Amino acid sequence: MVDFLFDDFFSVEGINPNGEKFDKVTRIVAQSEKHGMLLHLDVNTEIYPMKKGDRFLMVLSPTLNWNGAPVSSLENQTERKSLADKFEYIMHGLLYKLAEEGSGSELKVGIYVSYGGLQMVLKGDPACCTKFRHDQNLFLLIRKVPNELVAK
């Protein structure tokens, strides 16, 4: 069984917070339901539209294989059942920066990932970030959920 690096339900609270305008890409700002993590994520909204108020499950995983085995080739992923079958939007990227901000009870960890130019920043409780390491390859998987299915 695959051991996720992180999983939580999120609610989109804002779109393009600094007034950015990108072709085919929207920067979403979302808050997690269980862990209180703040997410800034660039999404190719031409293929996966997202808007304020949308709720989704996001999983960060080191692999797409159900048994937890590393992905040997991305080309062969469409030929067999995988974690990707349960999600609607998937990106593969590299964690390029881990940063601590604040101190004491105000300490937050920032996880910075590049998905081929699309960026993700996930910030929050250091206890939720213990499985991450610098230069780690990971998969981001998203599936929208109806609002009534998200537990608060």
Side-chain angles (χ1 to χ4, degrees):
M1 185 75 170
V2 65
D3 184 27
F4 298 142
L5 301 169
F6 179 85
D7 66 291
D8 204 342
F9 290 96
F10 284 82
S11 179
V12 178
E13 296 181 343
I15 301 290
N16 296 327
N18 297 322
E20 304 97 334
K21 296 287 185 195
F22 304 106
D23 290 337
K24 305 175 187 177
V25 174
T26 298
R27 181 163 291 160
I28 64 166
V29 177
Q31 188 72 38
S32 78
E33 301 284 335
K34 292 187 292 188
H35 302 296
M37 302 289 281
L38 179 64
L39 174 70
H40 287 241
L41 177 66
D42 295 343
V43 177
N44 182 333
T45 46
E46 181 178 58
I47 60 172
Y48 196 70
M50 294 193 87
K51 62 187 183 317
K52 189 173 180 176
D54 282 350
R55 293 202 172 178
F56 59 93
L57 170 64
M58 183 183 82
V59 170
L60 298 175
S61 176
T63 184
L64 292 176
N65 295 320
W66 283 108
N67 64 3
V71 173
S72 57
S73 170
L74 293 178
E75 294 173 6
N76 296 332
Q77 288 302 308
T78 58
E79 299 171 9
R80 62 182 149 195
K81 293 205 177 281
S82 75
L83 189 59
D85 298 331
K86 301 291 183 186
F87 291 86
E88 303 163 336
Y89 185 74
I90 298 137
M91 294 193 292
H92 179 253
L94 179 70
L95 192 157
Y96 66 90
K97 180 179 172 183
L98 284 167
E100 291 184 352
E101 300 171 4
S103 62
S105 64
E106 298 297 317
L107 181 65
K108 303 281 185 209
V109 170
I111 298 163
Y112 296 77
V113 181
S114 176
Y115 299 99
L118 299 180
Q119 301 294 306
M120 178 191 84
V121 179
L122 182 65
K123 290 184 182 178
D125 185 356
C128 297
C129 306
T130 59
K131 296 179 182 179
F132 294 100
R133 67 183 195 288
H134 190 264
D135 287 336
Q136 183 176 31
N137 285 293
L138 52 86
F139 293 90
L140 174 139
L141 302 106
I142 290 177
R143 176 180 66 233
K144 289 183 187 171
V145 294
N147 288 347
E148 60 273 7
L149 294 182
V150 179
K152 290 209 176 198

